[in-house]
Amino acid sequence: MKADPPWIVLGLIVAAAVGIPLLAGDQVADFAAALQPPGPGHLAGTDHSGYDLLVRTAEGLRVSLLIAAVCAVVATVLGVAIGVAAALVGGGLDAVVMRLVDGFNALPHLVVGIVIAAMWRGAPLAIIASIALTHWPAVARVVRAELLAVAEAGWVETARLAGASRWFVARTHLVPAVTGQALVAMVVLLPHAVWHESTLSFLGVGLSPDRASLGTLLSEARGDVLAGAWWTLAVPAAALIVAALAFAAAGTSVRNRHRPPVGQVW
């Protein structure tokens, strides 16, 4: 199977995020080399502490990607579980879950994320919770809509008439039917998670400044830019944009791959 260009780019991004810090080893602050522009010694320049900005950006990218991946997985699992439960039980529970989804969707995600992250400032688990808890409703809505159509299929009705339990029907028929949609949702959530983590850290309620992430690097660069060190902002911002665009393109690729052919239904 021919690899899609977005996945090739993502592979290169992950390889750079993991490989560059390993090859560079531990960095030591060198204030005599602070805010050096990009050049032969430092391809991306240095920051205000004298750290190589390319290595620092790779470290920040690795942290941001790891947090985004965990957030996407948690939000997807939570959304699938709630969507399956709502569609399987139906009735009053389904109505309650849909009102809960509507309520979560009505809340501004960034504000909710700031409140949760600010309660445990600097804790990675708080950032993961703030992002995952504001993104699961979209997954639950998609999964529920898909399952309502699958529940009317002949093989599901046959299983029920044969005396199969709800758990058996869910495990054997319903969950496999939404696996493709869940995969698409998880990939699509990745760029959102990257942006939200970077935004929270940029606003000062995310990771602590001593832990490199794209958001903390962008936050630290605000003062450096005023001193003329434009590269301290441009390099991590470029990494953030490229990573987000690559994830978005990969999500489109996965969605197109799982889209039913014209004239057919799921």
Side-chain angles (χ1 to χ4, degrees):
M1 181 183 296
K2 185 178 179 180
D4 293 331
W7 290 103
I8 296 176
V9 174
L10 277 180
L12 294 176
I13 291 174
V14 173
V18 175
I20 291 178
L22 290 178
L23 293 176
D26 294 332
Q27 292 199 94
V28 179
D30 183 7
F31 294 99
L35 299 181
Q36 290 187 358
H42 301 281
L43 296 180
T46 61
D47 64 6
H48 59 271
S49 298
Y51 292 118
D52 187 283
L53 192 57
L54 181 62
V55 179
R56 248 338 232 177
T57 301
E59 293 174 348
L61 182 61
R62 179 177 59 186
V63 172
S64 295
L65 292 181
L66 179 60
I67 291 178
V70 175
C71 291
V73 171
V74 172
T76 301
V77 171
L78 185 60
V80 169
I82 294 177
V84 170
L88 186 63
V89 178
L93 178 61
D94 187 22
V96 170
V97 170
M98 287 302 99
R99 299 297 74 77
L100 182 64
V101 169
D102 293 337
F104 268 89
N105 283 332
L107 297 174
H109 291 179
L110 182 57
V111 175
V112 175
I114 291 175
V115 171
I116 297 176
M119 294 175 65
W120 296 277
R121 182 172 297 182
L125 288 180
I127 299 176
I128 293 172
S130 67
I131 298 174
L133 292 178
T134 55
H135 286 75
W136 68 264
V139 180
R141 184 178 291 278
V142 171
V143 169
R144 172 184 173 273
E146 182 72 18
L147 290 180
L148 289 179
V150 175
E152 301 298 327
W155 63 85
V156 176
E157 187 65 24
T158 301
R160 288 173 175 167
L161 293 176
S165 64
R166 288 180 174 178
W167 166 248
F168 178 86
V169 171
R171 178 171 53 87
T172 307
H173 299 293
L174 300 185
V175 174
V178 298
T179 300
Q181 289 287 354
L183 177 61
V184 172
M186 184 173 65
V187 177
V188 171
L189 282 176
L190 285 171
H192 292 277
V194 171
W195 279 109
H196 275 259
E197 183 281 321
S198 299
T199 301
L200 292 175
S201 296
F202 178 79
L203 294 175
V205 295
L207 296 176
S208 58
D210 61 329
R211 180 175 297 180
S213 76
L214 294 180
T216 57
L217 293 178
L218 292 173
S219 180
E220 293 174 354
R222 288 180 293 183
D224 299 336
V225 170
L226 297 178
W230 55 267
W231 56 90
T232 60
L233 177 66
V235 174
L240 174 61
I241 293 172
V242 171
L245 290 177
F247 275 123
T252 301
S253 174
V254 173
R255 185 189 294 114
N256 293 336
R257 186 171 297 177
H258 288 84
R259 180 177 298 165
V262 177
Q264 298 184 21
V265 295
W266 288 102

